Amino acid sequence: MSRILDVGCGTGALESELESRYSFTIHGLDINGQYLSFAKQKAPRAIYTQANAHQTPFEEDIFDTCLCHFFLLWVAHPVRVLQEMVRITKPGGKIVAMAEPDYKGRIDFPPALELIGKMQANSLRVQGADPQIGRKLSAIFHRAGLVDVTTGLLGGQWTKGTQRDDWSVEWQTIDYDIKQLADPHMDIGKLKKIDADAIKSGEKVLYVPTFYAWGTTP
């Protein structure tokens, strides 16, 4: 039976999805024990390991696939992490980065909302993330020694009214980011109103280029 490892699994969102669809042996790895506790509740059949992705406790060549999702932007040495994923994956196995963002290419419309994108990118840098990791995926995969590398971009689609569904959740993150970096006199309420009006009118576009990549272990 195939063994899959989700590196940087967090609270188990992928484990839950994989459990519902496949009969693989699913493993999750994360450095945060509290996240793993949540993951065990969400996807109890998966096998979880608390460890640093730069140096895992696994033997060589034991997984058929290693994957990650919105994870490489947070690690100090992404090439080293991918090399570790290669080490523990069988020859001919797959390494997959399902989604990594590129905030430098972000599009916010109407133009008054561009400030939000700049603030969120700066907030990621302050937190230690690389907001331009997406465009680097191909280089990182090749440097890690993978072959038959494929990279690409996830698409975007906007329909009037549908963006309002996640609006309050989105603004919880925006509020946090702006408060970390913004001028205390900035009128956050005004930005929020512009955003809400743009959704209502169907004008709003928010697109963060999000890259994916996969490669084969030699």
Side-chain angles (χ1 to χ4, degrees), residues 191-204:
L191 282 175
K192 191 177 289 189
K193 184 178 188 305
I194 293 171
D195 195 33
D197 289 345
I199 291 175
K200 185 176 180 180
S201 67
E203 294 180 78
K204 179 176 176 176

Side-chain angles (χ1 to χ4, degrees), residues 138-153:
S138 181
I140 291 169
F141 268 62
H142 283 94
R143 289 172 188 165
L146 288 151
V147 298
D148 299 325
V149 175
T150 297
T151 57
L153 275 170

Side-chain angles (χ1 to χ4, degrees), residues 200-214:
K200 185 176 180 180
S201 67
E203 294 180 78
K204 179 176 176 176
V205 174
L206 167 56
Y207 177 64
V208 180
T210 303
F211 287 74
Y212 60 84
W214 65 76

Side-chain angles (χ1 to χ4, degrees), residues 7-8 29 31 51-57 71-72 74-85 87:
V7 180
L29 179 141
I31 200 170
N52 190 313
H54 294 84
Q55 188 173 7
T56 72
F71 175 66
L72 294 177
W74 292 107
V75 303
H77 304 286
V79 173
R80 190 184 304 169
V81 168
L82 280 179
Q83 289 172 334
E84 180 66 2
M85 292 166 73
R87 183 187 71 80

